[in-house]
Amino acid sequence: MLCYDGKLSFFCFIVAAVIAILPEVLLRLELNVLQVAVRAVFLGYVFGIGIIIFLIAPSSWQMFGVYITILATFHYTEFLSIAWINPSTLSIDSFILNHSIAYGVAACSSWIEFVVERQYFPVMKESSFISYFGLILCICGEILRKLAMFTAKHNFNHIVQSEKMDDHELITYGIYGFCRHPSYVGWFYWSLGTQLILQNPVCFLAYTMASWKFFHDRILIEEITLLNFFGQDYVEYQKKVSTGLPFISGYKLNL
């Protein structure tokens, strides 16, 4: 059995060898593999930092820790879900970290509002019924979205498809029997929940309007495509099941 000094020397030897070899290993990896690793490490780090903030930070910062943990979980599980259900479409974009400029601006705006309001009204940012309701909304939205993805399986794609694949099916069972766009419904309420967690009144209103507009337009485009793909079958499906989002009826053919 190695003594303490022996174990220490062995540990240091292995760490030094790994540090020496690692740069060369990374250079030999495919760029895509490295990019996946970097994003996964980043999201895992953010997830951990969020938990630490919640556990040890002042009370006015704790819900920000919950928020960044929820954010990291959402983006990582998007990639992981696609890797599971539809690996042929998997890419760096599956993390949806670079979803759009508007998405980045919205996120940054929520951070700025939180910091500014905490500076002047710290009590406003302490955990409350509102922030925990937002957490529940995020969890429910996340579950709904992932349930939709795993129900649709290979039919799910982050990008609206313009061409029908041979194995593309119209999914009307499971969660799709309750609403036509459960993944959008989940994401919509998840986004609102993040602002309730932060107790950001301004961004909550802005997120509500921006998210509604985004999904309204997205659903119109997607349903035109689905009508082209599935014709009368999709028309009948529209008659039976709503979109699931408030005041969004989708694209209807005038027959």
Side-chain angles (χ1 to χ4, degrees), residues 18-29:
V18 170
I19 292 173
I21 295 170
L22 190 59
E24 182 64 23
V25 172
L26 292 178
L27 287 174
R28 292 175 181 272
L29 286 174

Side-chain angles (χ1 to χ4, degrees), residues 50 53-55 57-70 114 124-136 193-194 196-199:
I53 291 173
F54 175 71
L55 293 176
S59 58
S60 58
W61 277 108
Q62 287 178 348
M63 296 316 295
F64 189 80
V66 173
Y67 162 79
I68 63 175
T69 297
I70 287 290
F114 180 88
M124 179 181 176
K125 297 304 178 182
E126 294 183 359
S127 59
S128 67
F129 169 79
I130 293 174
S131 53
Y132 283 110
F133 177 74
L135 175 59
I136 293 171
T194 62
L196 291 177
I197 289 174
L198 295 176
Q199 299 183 97

Side-chain angles (χ1 to χ4, degrees), residues 32 78-92 94 149-150 153-157 167:
N32 186 64
E78 284 292 301
F79 181 88
L80 197 63
S81 297
I82 294 296
W84 189 295
I85 64 171
N86 199 4
S88 63
T89 65
L90 191 68
S91 71
I92 295 301
S94 298
M149 293 171 73
F150 277 85
K153 296 180 181 176
H154 65 273
N155 298 285
F156 184 90
N157 199 303
D167 60 349

Side-chain angles (χ1 to χ4, degrees), residues 73-224:
T73 301
F74 173 78
H75 285 285
Y76 177 66
T77 56
E78 284 292 301
F79 181 88
L80 197 63
S81 297
I82 294 296
W84 189 295
I85 64 171
N86 199 4
S88 63
T89 65
L90 191 68
S91 71
I92 295 301
D93 293 338
S94 298
F95 284 106
I96 59 174
L97 286 167
N98 56 340
H99 179 269
S100 65
I101 293 176
Y103 184 79
V105 170
C108 291
S109 298
S110 70
W111 305 339
I112 292 170
E113 181 181 352
F114 180 88
V115 171
V116 171
E117 290 175 351
R118 182 199 170 273
Q119 178 65 31
Y120 294 101
F121 311 102
V123 176
M124 179 181 176
K125 297 304 178 182
E126 294 183 359
S127 59
S128 67
F129 169 79
I130 293 174
S131 53
Y132 283 110
F133 177 74
L135 175 59
I136 293 171
L137 197 61
C138 281
I139 292 172
C140 292
E142 177 82 72
I143 291 173
L144 180 59
R145 180 168 171 83
K146 296 309 185 287
L147 184 60
M149 293 171 73
F150 277 85
T151 301
K153 296 180 181 176
H154 65 273
N155 298 285
F156 184 90
N157 199 303
H158 280 133
I159 300 172
V160 177
Q161 301 297 290
S162 58
E163 295 183 10
K164 184 176 182 292
M165 305 299 289
D166 292 338
D167 60 349
H168 197 165
E169 308 169 67
L170 175 60
I171 307 299
T172 60
Y173 53 83
I175 192 63
Y176 287 86
F178 295 93
C179 55
R180 299 202 302 270
H181 301 279
S183 66
Y184 293 160
V185 175
W187 197 356
F188 176 78
Y189 287 109
W190 175 90
S191 69
L192 300 189
T194 62
Q195 298 314 295
L196 291 177
I197 289 174
L198 295 176
Q199 299 183 97
N200 284 348
V202 175
C203 279
F204 176 78
L205 293 175
Y207 270 50
T208 301
M209 292 185 290
S211 296
W212 187 91
K213 180 67 166 59
F214 172 78
F215 288 118
H216 175 271
D217 295 346
R218 176 92 171 206
I219 286 173
L220 281 178
I221 294 170
E222 184 166 318
E223 293 209 330
I224 290 172

